[in-house]
Structures are given as structure tokens and as C-alpha cells.
């Protein structure tokens, strides 16, 4: 088998941890597999480099900041290669440019456009372990770019796809993917298998497991992803396409996870004309500014006038106000109302689309916990409610008990 292993910053934060990572790599190699490793920068290196740059400039030049930040992964890759060679394992560290990872030219938020793995294949054919820098790439013009927070996950999957690897493994400080945040729900359960669709919803809604772009790549190319613990030998969680039989079973199975997101703001444009094109006028400036909008609700029109409400991250609210005030004026809307202090609570599961009762159970559980619902949105595999931020932890525990603990108890009875 050809396996790509990705190790995050905490996994390579110290010399001792690097030695442990090397032992995992050697174990995989001794099992007869080809190994390609993708690494993040050690510990808090990236944050430290950014802080140093900001001591010299309030807004460092994006190109030079990318060059600076890319050195963190380069250090980690070289150190892992050094440790492997000390154990008499042939190894080579490769910067993303040497590994053929091409990106767009948008510094700090570049997108991977292609991977040309010829050099990596030559090194593998020579019997070496390849250690590749994550989080970075190179433009067609030869400039170094970084691909945003969590970008090493995307690097690993892109490399796995390009090399036609059998799977891509992610080593983290958790036993696998859990049904809820264990800091809120200590009895959260590890999932053995989850679909790409479910984990993509969970990460988009706040679960910090893998970067959503990495999951999207895995889904498109049907690449099995595995989340494993770095410092134990647990079985982890496999993320893969479900079989038809499994999808039928999921219709009667479970909610896969309960997830929350904090620091949510709600914006309402009050008194807008109910006519074609109004929603476009409101949301186009936000999209152009890279501001993500989630729950959208348009009230019932009365006398040709309606209200438009939506949610976004609290940190994006000041920019959204500036962008929408001219729009409000142009539309003749009465006011632009905005409030903070909200959170989102969601349940996710493949079987929800064909099995009734999930929404009623969710709303009933929140009612019993005296939690008021502000807004609701749904998809085929999730239900999300906007609630007061102070109620988020209680809501997570309440829904986890209703959908996961009670189901597990009934199954074992």
C-alpha cells in the first residue's frame, strides 16, 4: 500500500515528539507500505513568526509574510528527515515547490491547482520516505504561497490523490472523530466510520477535526481519510464513501454528531421591497468581501415589504455593516438591525433525510431545556438552530443525550 501520513504541529512540537512520529513512520514502513509524510510547522511556530513580522510592520507585505511563514514547515520536514536518517531509514525532505504543489497567486489564502509529483515518485522508487512541507505551494511564476489555516490537511489529501495513494492518515491529539466536543460532553463516543458528507457538515458547522477543503478533495476523489491518535495505537475513525447497504442502514441508525459554533451575529435588513433582485443586492457585496453567510430567513411579505435576516461570524459584523448601509439606503429599507451573542447548534446524520422525527425530537429536547430557538435551517443531513450563546453548552449536552446516549442505551438493552 501507498500511504500518506499527515502530522500536525502538536505532533512535531518537540524533539521527543518527532522521535515518536518517526517510530510511527518506521512501523508503517516495516509493514511493507510506501510512506509519504506531510508536516505542519512545530507547535506555535507560525503564530510566533507572524507576531515577529508584526513587530516590524503593522500590515506585513503578504508575499513576504508567505515566504516567512513557509519556513516553519521547512524546519519540521528537515528535522523529521534528520531523525529518520539517524535511524538508518532513507529519507528526503521536500519543500512544496520541490514536491510539485502548484497554487493560485492569492497570498495567505492560495488554492491548490495541481500537484506534479514526479520528484516524489523518483524518491519513492529509490526506497526513500518523502517528508513534504504542508500549508504551502508555489505559483506558476515561482512565488511561495500559503494556503491558509488548516492548509496542511489540504496539502496531504492533494498529494495522496496525485500519487494515487490507498489512503491518507491524519495524526492528532484525539482518539478519532467524536460525537461531540469532549470538553462539553465527557461521554462523547468515538465513531468508527463516517461519510465524507457528514464530516464535511460537522467541520463546516464548527467541529475542528479536518479542514473542510481537505474533506471536499477526499469526497470528490473518493480518497479514504483516517483520523488517528498520534500517541496511542487506537483504531481511529475512517472517513469514506458509504456503500449502498450502509446508506440504507443509516436511514434507521443515528445522528453522527452534535456540533456547535460560537461568536455568531444576526443581521436583519428591515423593510426591504419584496421584488426580484433584492437578495442579490444584499448578499453580493458580502460575497465579494469574502464574508460567509449561513442561516437566511425572509419573512412573509406584507404590502410588498419584507424583512431579510441572516447570520455571520461576529468578527465579520463591522465590515458587513459598512457594506450594507449603502445597500439599505438604496433599497429604502427602514433600518439595519444587528445583534451579537448568538451560537449555532446542529445535529448531523446521513439518515435524517428519509427518516421523520428528527426535527420534532430536537425541538422538543430544546424546549424541555428551556432553550429558545431564534432561527432554523436544514439540509438533507443536518438541522441547525440559532440560539443564545449562553445556552450552547447546555444544548450540546441535551441533544447528545437525546440522539446518541439514549439510542446507544436502547441498542445495548
Amino acid at each position: 500500500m501507498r500511504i500518506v501520513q499527515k502530522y500536525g504541529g502538536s505532533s512535531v512540537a518537540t524533539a521527543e515528539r518527532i522521535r515518536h512520529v518517526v517510530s510511527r513512520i518506521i512501523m508503517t514502513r516495516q509493514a511493507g507500505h510506501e510512506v509519504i509524510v506531510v508536516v505542519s510547522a512545530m507547535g506555535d511556530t507560525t503564530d510566533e513568526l507572524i507576531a515577529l513580522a508584526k513587530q516590524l510592520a503593522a500590515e506585513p507585505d503578504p508575499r513576504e509574510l508567505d515566504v516567512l511563514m513557509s519556513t516553519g514547515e521547512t524546519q519540521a520536514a528537515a528535522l523529521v528527515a534528520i531523525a529518520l536518517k539517524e535511524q538508518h531509514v532513507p529519507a528526503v525532505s521536500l519543500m512544496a515547490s520541490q514536491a510539485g504543489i502548484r497554487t493560485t497567486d492569492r497570498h495567505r489564502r492560495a488554492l491548490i491547482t495541481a500537484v506534479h509529483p514526479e520528484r516524489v515518485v523518483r524518491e519513492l522508487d529509490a526506497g526513500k520516505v518523502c517528508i513534504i512541507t504542508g500549508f504551502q505551494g508555489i505559483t506558476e511564476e515561482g512565488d511561495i504561497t500559503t494556503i491558509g489555516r488548516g492548509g496542511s490537511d489540504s496539502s496531504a489529501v492533494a498529494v495522496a490523490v496525485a500519487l494515487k495513494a490507498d489512503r491518507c492518515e491524519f495524526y492528532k491529539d484525539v482518539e478519532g472523530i467524536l460525537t461531540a466536543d469532549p470538553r462539553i460532553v465527557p461521554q462523547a463516543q468515538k465513531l468508527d466510520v463516517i461519510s465524507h458528507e457528514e464530516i464535511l457538515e460537522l467541520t463546516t458547522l464548527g467541529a475542528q477535526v479536518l479542514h473542510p477543503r481537505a474533506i471536499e478533495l477526499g469526497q470528490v476523489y473518493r480518497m479514504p481519510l483516517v483520523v488517528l491518535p498520534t500517541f496511542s495505537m487506537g483504531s481511529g475513525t475512517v472517513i469514506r464513501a458509504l456503500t449502498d447497504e450502509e446508506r440504507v442502514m443509516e436511514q434507521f441508525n443515528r445522528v453522527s454528531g452534535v456540533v456547535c459554533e460560537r461568536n455568531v451575529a444576526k443581521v436583519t435588513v428591515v423593510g426591504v421591497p419584496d421584488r426580484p433582485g433584492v437578495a442579490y443586492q444584499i448578499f453580493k457585496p458580502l460575497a465579494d468581501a469574502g464574508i460567509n453567510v449561513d442561516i437566511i430567513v425572509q419573512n412573509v411579505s406584507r404590502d410588498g415589504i419584507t424583512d431579510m435576516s441572516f447570520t455571520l461570524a461576529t468578527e465579520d459584523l463591522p465590515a458587513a455593516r459598512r457594506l450594507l448601509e449603502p445597500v439599505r439606503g438604496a433599497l429604502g429599507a427602514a433600518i439595519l438591525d444587528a445583534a451579537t451573542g448568538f451560537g449555532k447548534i446542529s445535529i448531523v446524520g446521513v439518515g435524517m433525510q428519509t427518516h421523520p422525527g428528527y426535527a420534532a425530537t430536537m425541538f422538543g429536547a430544546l424546549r424541555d431545556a428551556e432553550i429558545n430557538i431564534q432561527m432554523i435551517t436544514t439540509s438533507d443531513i443536518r438541522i441547525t438552530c440559532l440560539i443564545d450563546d449562553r445556552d450552547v453548552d447546555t444544548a450540546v449536552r441535551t441533544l447528545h443525550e437525546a440522539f446518541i446516549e439514549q439510542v446507544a442505551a436502547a441498542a445495548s438493552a
Side-chain angles (χ1 to χ4, degrees):
M1 289 177 66
R2 177 174 286 179
I3 298 173
V4 174
Q5 296 182 338
K6 187 266 176 175
Y7 293 93
S10 62
S11 297
V12 294
T14 65
E16 185 60 33
R17 291 191 171 200
I18 289 175
R19 291 191 188 97
H20 182 83
V21 164
V22 164
S23 70
R24 297 296 294 258
I25 296 169
I26 292 173
M27 188 184 309
T28 306
R29 182 180 169 88
Q30 288 175 340
H33 306 308
E34 283 187 322
V35 185
I36 305 94
V37 178
V38 175
V39 293
S40 298
M42 300 173 64
D44 297 324
T45 299
T46 301
D47 290 334
E48 292 167 358
L49 291 171
I50 293 173
L52 183 59
K54 288 187 175 180
Q55 291 179 31
L56 301 172
E59 295 185 12
D61 179 80
R63 180 190 181 278
E64 303 310 327
L65 195 57
D66 270 0
V67 173
L68 177 65
M69 289 193 297
S70 70
T71 62
E73 280 72 25
T74 302
Q75 293 172 14
L79 289 168
V80 172
I82 288 169
L84 280 166
K85 291 178 179 180
E86 180 65 14
Q87 298 298 317
H88 309 291
V89 176
V92 59
S93 63
L94 298 172
M95 292 184 290
S97 56
Q98 296 170 303
I101 300 176
R102 299 288 188 265
T103 72
T104 60
D105 59 3
R106 185 177 183 181
H107 289 287
R108 300 200 66 186
R109 292 184 180 181
L111 297 175
I112 297 173
T113 57
V115 178
H116 303 291
E118 292 82 4
R119 170 74 183 276
V120 179
V121 172
R122 290 201 303 272
E123 301 291 359
L124 291 173
D125 288 344
K128 297 178 183 178
V129 175
C130 292
I131 303 96
I132 301 171
T133 55
F135 181 62
Q136 60 181 255
I138 191 168
T139 68
E140 293 299 329
E141 292 73 32
D143 284 334
I144 293 173
T145 57
T146 63
I147 53 181
R149 292 291 186 180
S152 293
D153 291 347
S154 301
S155 301
V157 180
V159 167
V161 169
L163 290 171
K164 296 181 172 57
D166 293 280
R167 67 188 206 170
C168 185
E169 300 175 344
F170 298 85
Y171 288 85
K172 296 182 173 290
D173 291 337
V174 293
E175 292 302 310
I177 297 170
L178 304 180
T179 52
D181 186 337
R183 294 169 296 184
I184 302 174
V185 184
Q187 60 271 36
Q189 303 168 18
K190 182 183 75 70
L191 297 167
D192 294 327
V193 178
I194 191 170
S195 68
H196 292 100
E197 299 99 315
E198 290 171 299
I199 192 60
L200 183 58
E201 287 279 12
L202 288 169
T203 54
T204 302
L205 294 166
Q208 298 178 354
V209 182
L210 297 178
H211 194 282
R213 278 189 289 172
I215 300 167
E216 288 173 345
L217 277 173
Q219 182 177 15
V220 169
Y221 291 97
R222 300 181 71 83
M223 173 62 63
L225 313 177
V226 189
V227 177
L228 292 157
T230 303
F231 303 108
S232 68
M233 297 305 294
S235 58
T237 302
V238 178
I239 304 167
R240 59 169 172 77
L242 299 180
T243 65
D244 291 341
E245 182 180 1
E246 286 172 324
R247 287 189 176 277
V248 170
M249 292 294 292
E250 286 284 31
Q251 294 178 12
F252 307 99
N253 199 349
R254 72 203 187 297
V255 167
S256 295
V258 180
V259 66
C260 63
E261 183 178 352
R262 303 178 190 275
N263 299 315
V264 178
K266 181 174 73 169
V267 177
T268 302
V269 187
V270 180
V272 298
D274 186 10
R275 63 170 186 254
V278 168
Y280 175 81
Q281 286 180 261
I282 292 172
F283 295 114
K284 180 64 163 59
L286 300 178
D288 291 343
I291 296 175
N292 289 322
V293 173
D294 187 15
I295 305 175
I296 301 173
V297 175
Q298 180 174 320
N299 292 337
V300 175
S301 175
R302 296 186 183 278
D303 300 322
I305 300 296
T306 188
D307 301 336
M308 186 82 70
S309 298
F310 55 91
T311 63
L312 42 71
T314 298
E315 64 181 6
D316 289 330
L317 184 56
R321 282 181 180 273
R322 291 194 300 271
L323 292 167
L324 291 177
E325 190 56 40
V327 176
R328 181 203 63 78
L331 290 172
I335 60 172
L336 180 66
D337 181 58
T340 59
F342 296 101
K344 289 187 292 187
I345 180 76
S346 305
I347 58 171
V348 175
V350 165
M352 291 168 55
Q353 64 194 32
T354 53
H355 192 62
Y358 284 93
T361 300
M362 182 178 189
F363 302 154
L366 295 177
R367 176 207 59 197
D368 293 344
E370 298 184 347
I371 296 173
N372 189 43
I373 299 171
Q374 301 277 341
M375 301 170 72
I376 303 167
T377 185
T378 66
S379 74
D380 286 344
I381 64 171
R382 61 115 167 170
I383 304 171
T384 298
C385 296
L386 185 73
I387 61 176
D388 193 297
D389 187 69
R390 294 171 298 181
D391 294 327
V392 165
D393 285 2
T394 301
V396 172
R397 288 190 286 267
T398 296
L399 296 180
H400 192 272
E401 180 181 3
F403 285 103
I404 295 172
E405 294 168 44
Q406 291 183 8
V407 171
S412 61

